[in-house]
Amino acid sequence: MTKAALKVYLAAPRGFCAGVDRAIKIVEMALEKWGAPVYVRHEIVHNRFVVDGLRAKGAVFVEELADCPADRPVIFSAHGVPKSVPAEAERRNMIYVDATCPLVSKVHIEAERHAEAGLQIVMIGHAGHPETIGTMGQLPDGQVLLVERAGDVATLAVRDPARLAYVTQTTLSVDDTADIVAALQARFPAIIGPHKEDICYATTNRQEAVKAIAPRVDALLVIGAPNSSNSRRLVEVGARAGCSYSQLVQRAADIDWRALEGVRRIGITAGASAPDILIREVIDAFSDRFDVTLEEVETAIERVEFKVPRVLRTQTA
Ligand code: SF4
């Protein structure tokens, strides 16, 4: 039987960012240095495939530091942790390695500096996301106000409208965040923003690539986990940019082939925590069913790399 023709537009950049790459390396190097088990507080990055792979090598994933024995090393995930977490690890004399992405740490430092200057911090982010918890936790409880959507701004009860600064989660929708910032600036004209955008390069670049592809395709698949903020934003960006079928899939087995019947042009991208092997698996699944012509749509070139912490570098030197 002849296969139907299918044009596949592959977004570039897609998949792993420098922060995710570094966080995974940290766990692997910690396992080499200290042997198994190495504890990891929270999923190191939001991807089950990655987590299962590290678990098979001896990583033990827990949600709280209290679940880690004091005599084994613990790693903090790429999303960042409240200040209370390393403080508790130190109190228990634990060996810990912080895999917080340097671009999340930048936001932490920003929030602290503004607070030291006497400004109240407004955080734009998603309630309950570990990154939001980590950033808000750089300051004592109750000091950071959370805004999730532009509609929240009208009811925000601030200490002093003239002494405010905002920070954001790194993985938000660029366009939604611009709306929220505009609402904040309209109500609090003196509010101070970050020197350099908090939404990271990887989030911005992946959203731009989706915007370039979405209007050209009948369907867009975003490879990523349901708890991956940046992946879910890519699905929304695709829908808003004109693709009526924009879906998240964790891997090829999740593809709803029936929903894709009659599709002739498809877009594929992947969130910052989705490994290449899953992208390949999805492309292969399409090649099994269709006569695929692949075209990469590159909207940015990324050369960002982050070093792993010194404690791990010295060991392999
Ligand atoms: Fe860092 Fe951005 Fe990757 Fe998050 S998505 S780990 S902030 S580079």
Side-chain angles (χ1 to χ4, degrees), residues 20-31:
V20 162
D21 207 42
R22 170 180 181 267
I24 294 168
K25 252 187 227 152
I26 287 176
V27 179
E28 288 172 342
M29 291 171 83
L31 282 163

Side-chain angles (χ1 to χ4, degrees), residues 244-256:
S244 56
Y245 185 89
S246 182
Q247 288 287 320
L248 187 72
V249 292
Q250 300 208 58
R251 57 189 311 168
D254 296 339
I255 299 170
D256 181 352

